[in-house]
Amino acid sequence: MGGGGGGLSEEQMKLEFTPTWIVAGVCSIIVLISLVVERLLHRLGKILKKKNQKPLFEALQKVKEELMLLGFISLLLTVFQGAIQQICIPQGWANHMLPCNREEESSGNEGGGATKEHLSSQFLVGVLGHGGRSLLSSGEFGFEHCQKKGKVPLLSLEALHRLHIFIFVLALTHVIFSVLTMVLGGMKIRQWKHWEDEIQKDDIRTSSIKVRHVHQFEFIRDRFKGLGKDSLILSWLHSFVKQFYGSVTKSDYTTMRLGFIMTHCRGNPKFDFHKYMVRALEADFKKVVGISWYLWIFVVLFLLLNVNGWHTYFWIAFVPLFLLLAVGTKLEHVITQLAHEVAEKHSAIEGDLVVKPSDEHFWFNRPRIVLYLIHFILFQNAFEIAFFFWILTTYGFDSCIMGQVGFIIPRLVIGAIIQILCSYSTLPLYAIVTQMGSYFKKEIFDEHVQQGLVGWAQKVKKRTAHKAGNGTAGNGVAGNGSASATASQEPPSSSVKIEMMNLLAKKNEPQNGAS
């Protein structure tokens, strides 16, 4: 029983001495919150499926996978926290690569440091409830266990739980920032819809075919900077500056749209390029919103290099900024290269200006690399913001791990610049410029056509394997046997063409009916 003070002892605060109504009440609240969140995500998924937003639905599934991964990490930390606490290391090992200098921290505690430590403990207790107090006592048990051996624990229980909270904050911040970027970028891209509508209306009238000098085209005037080495440097500088204002103009959109149509769907001049571009961007969103294995490697490297005096959190903030500027410059330069190709080959053009999409304009001939870089930029920026707020709420603004104000303010400013520039410039640039590759994406077809093509491809594989097996078995048959084998291989080819034409005909039926 409690002493004369009427308080509860640590023994009486354990689960077996906790009133059942408290245990049942806390469990009910936790289960209720979990069910509400699960139902909301399920409802959102049904709405997306009802509106035929399959890419966004798949992105939502990706978010659920990340939440499941977080739950698994949480389970591992909870199950193995006792084992981790029992791991002891020599005390000398714990004095290297510290985020904070112990001497500075101890001198700070003599002044206002006690208040920070009190706030830190209050945060832990607020998050973990009564278990927060028992955490401190459990941590003392682990420390005593290692102290008997003349060593120190590998990781205290308190530090383990704070690391657990940081991982959760990081994943949540990344998802929020990714969604925010896609929403703001999507708003910018949807502003181009009126360009598409104007082009569709202009295509109704018959355009007069006349010969014009290449510099009479606005696209060439804005993008072509002459010939020679000086023009190459000038074009790169122009591309760098162009990403900050008017990154995509109407002449850019019109020219790249026509180049895409003439390359990939010449038979459909009224192809809705804007709709295809939005579908392709939504499909890429499920890649951006996830946390890939190489991003977790980056987190581990940052935690390793976050040493007192190195100011790693400050210098690493410039990495996404430089990458973002490089990506934006490269995407703008791809448009410039398209203009240079036409201007260098032709002095006059009959009819409309047509550019030629090619993978050669992109790094390593792979437009997909740009998406990976944007993915890393968004994650690294979210990491910076998440790390700042985690330190702020856990240790306070004046803590040693937060760093000096002169290093904090630039980090926040850089984070805001990255978020704005990526949303309103880089992401819209990516959406349209990456269509200038040698191949189109599967989003060029409607969903039912995509499914039909997948089924068609599977049938072709089965037929090919079946015919290959029959051909191997009939290698010993001569004369008429080989002729019949050759004849039997022709129908699949013709049937494939028929199935392909049927699928495309089904795709065009609604459009023809509307017109």
Side-chain angles (χ1 to χ4, degrees):
M1 286 297 186
L8 294 175
S9 65
E10 293 183 2
E11 184 71 21
Q12 293 173 321
M13 290 172 59
K14 293 183 178 180
L15 181 62
E16 56 264 35
F17 298 106
T18 303
T20 55
W21 66 269
I22 295 180
V23 177
V26 171
C27 289
S28 300
I29 294 175
I30 293 175
V31 172
L32 178 63
I33 294 175
S34 302
L35 289 177
V36 169
V37 173
E38 192 275 335
R39 285 291 93 189
L40 288 176
L41 293 176
H42 180 71
R43 181 64 178 173
L44 179 59
K46 292 181 66 176
I47 294 175
L48 293 176
K49 291 183 68 175
K50 185 177 181 180
K51 294 185 177 181
N52 294 324
Q53 297 289 339
K54 185 178 179 181
L56 295 181
F57 175 76
E58 292 178 352
L60 179 63
Q61 297 300 111
K62 191 70 175 180
V63 172
K64 291 183 178 180
E65 291 178 7
E66 298 300 331
L67 293 176
M68 184 181 69
L69 178 61
L70 285 178
F72 187 70
I73 293 175
S74 174
L75 178 63
L76 289 179
L77 290 175
T78 303
V79 171
F80 293 104
Q81 63 183 10
I84 294 175
Q85 194 181 5
Q86 297 295 321
I87 300 176
C88 304
I89 60 174
Q91 188 170 0
W93 293 10
N95 294 327
H96 300 287
M97 302 182 71
L98 298 174
C100 287
N101 193 327
R102 285 199 176 99
E103 296 178 359
E104 295 178 0
E105 186 69 12
S106 60
S107 62
N109 286 338
E110 294 177 1
T115 303
K116 292 183 291 184
E117 186 66 25
H118 173 70
L119 291 175
S120 176
S121 299
Q122 287 293 93
F123 174 80
L124 184 66
V125 172
V127 173
L128 302 173
H130 292 293
R133 298 187 181 93
S134 61
L135 269 180
L136 302 179
S137 61
S138 299
E140 292 175 359
F141 172 78
F143 181 78
E144 294 175 355
H145 169 75
C146 293
Q147 193 176 31
K148 294 177 181 179
K149 301 179 180 180
K151 299 180 179 181
V152 294
L154 177 66
L155 192 66
S156 68
L157 200 57
E158 181 182 353
L160 194 63
H161 278 272
R162 287 178 174 175
L163 181 63
H164 183 188
I165 294 173
F166 168 68
I167 293 175
F168 174 78
V169 172
L170 171 61
L172 184 63
T173 305
H174 172 65
V175 172
I176 293 175
F177 272 58
S178 298
V179 172
L180 180 63
T181 303
M182 294 297 294
V183 170
L184 296 178
M187 292 172 58
K188 178 70 175 179
I189 294 172
R190 283 175 175 81
Q191 293 177 3
W192 303 342
K193 185 66 171 70
H194 70 279
W195 293 343
E196 181 72 29
D197 296 336
E198 291 177 3
I199 295 172
Q200 296 282 357
K201 292 178 181 179
D202 291 342
D203 285 345
I204 296 177
R205 61 176 178 81
T206 57
S207 58
S208 58
I209 300 177
K210 60 181 180 178
V211 178
R212 287 185 289 177
H213 192 273
V214 70
H215 288 283
Q216 290 182 319
F217 291 94
E218 182 181 356
F219 178 73
I220 300 296
R221 290 199 307 268
D222 293 342
R223 296 288 180 173
F224 183 65
K225 301 301 176 184
L227 302 173
K229 295 182 179 179
D230 293 338
S231 67
L232 181 62
I233 298 175
L234 187 62
S235 65
W236 276 105
L237 291 176
H238 178 263
S239 299
F240 174 78
V241 177
K242 193 74 167 65
Q243 64 180 313
F244 299 108
Y245 71 96
S247 56
V248 177
T249 62
K250 182 179 179 180
S251 62
D252 297 335
Y253 180 87
T254 304
T255 305
M256 287 189 284
R257 174 189 179 275
L258 183 59
F260 179 89
I261 292 176
M262 297 301 291
T263 303
H264 301 300
C265 47
R266 184 184 293 266
N268 185 15
K270 293 182 67 64
F271 175 74
D272 195 337
F273 178 71
H274 184 272
K275 183 178 180 181
Y276 158 71
M277 186 175 56
V278 171
R279 282 206 304 255
L281 183 63
E282 290 175 349
D284 290 336
F285 177 58
K286 64 181 179 181
K287 173 66 179 177
V288 173
V289 77
I291 303 180
S292 303
W293 60 269
Y294 53 86
L295 298 180
W296 285 112
I297 292 178
F298 167 79
V299 173
V300 174
L301 288 177
F302 175 82
L303 296 176
L304 174 66
L305 300 177
N306 187 30
V307 180
N308 181 46
W310 291 12
H311 303 294
T312 307
Y313 51 81
F314 173 74
W315 301 113
I316 208 169
F318 289 93
V319 174
L321 179 62
F322 291 151
L323 281 177
L324 186 65
L325 294 177
V327 169
T329 303
K330 178 60 178 177
L331 293 174
E332 287 285 354
H333 191 65
V334 169
I335 305 177
T336 302
Q337 284 179 297
L338 295 173
H340 272 252
E341 282 187 351
V342 176
E344 290 173 359
K345 294 179 181 179
H346 306 280
S347 59
I349 297 177
E350 181 181 0
D352 296 323
L353 176 65
V354 179
V355 296
K356 183 180 179 181
S358 175
D359 287 346
E360 296 179 358
H361 299 311
F362 298 90
W363 285 313
F364 305 104
N365 298 331
R366 294 185 61 189
R368 192 74 174 174
I369 291 179
V370 180
L371 179 63
Y372 293 122
L373 291 176
I374 293 178
H375 188 197
F376 175 78
I377 290 168
L378 291 177
F379 177 80
Q380 207 280 330
N381 191 50
F383 177 86
E384 283 286 324
I385 302 300
F387 188 77
F388 169 78
F389 283 105
W390 175 66
I391 296 297
L392 180 65
T393 56
T394 305
Y395 298 99
F397 188 82
D398 298 325
S399 63
C400 63
I401 197 171
M402 176 67 78
Q404 303 174 4
V405 178
F407 291 102
I408 299 173
I409 302 301
R411 288 169 56 197
L412 298 178
V413 172
I414 290 174
I417 292 175
I418 291 174
Q419 187 65 35
I420 295 174
L421 184 61
C422 187
S423 300
Y424 288 103
S425 177
T426 309
L427 189 65
L429 268 173
Y430 163 81
I432 187 170
V433 175
T434 51
Q435 311 308 327
M436 295 297 100
S438 301
Y439 306 97
F440 59 82
K441 300 179 180 179
K442 66 178 182 179
E443 283 73 27
I444 195 172
F445 302 111
D446 291 333
E447 183 179 350
H448 73 277
V449 179
Q450 294 180 30
Q451 295 174 355
L453 289 175
V454 171
W456 162 75
Q458 292 175 351
K459 290 180 181 178
V460 171
K461 288 182 179 179
K462 291 180 180 180
R463 289 173 181 173
T464 303
H466 180 67
K467 295 301 178 183
N470 291 342
T472 304
N475 281 338
V477 181
N480 295 334
S482 61
S484 61
T486 304
S488 64
Q489 292 176 1
E490 293 179 357
S493 176
S494 59
S495 63
V496 163
K497 293 180 181 179
I498 294 173
E499 290 181 18
M500 189 72 174
M501 294 176 65
N502 289 337
L503 288 171
L504 294 177
K506 290 180 181 179
K507 175 181 181 297
N508 293 327
E509 280 177 2
Q511 297 178 354
N512 297 333
S515 59

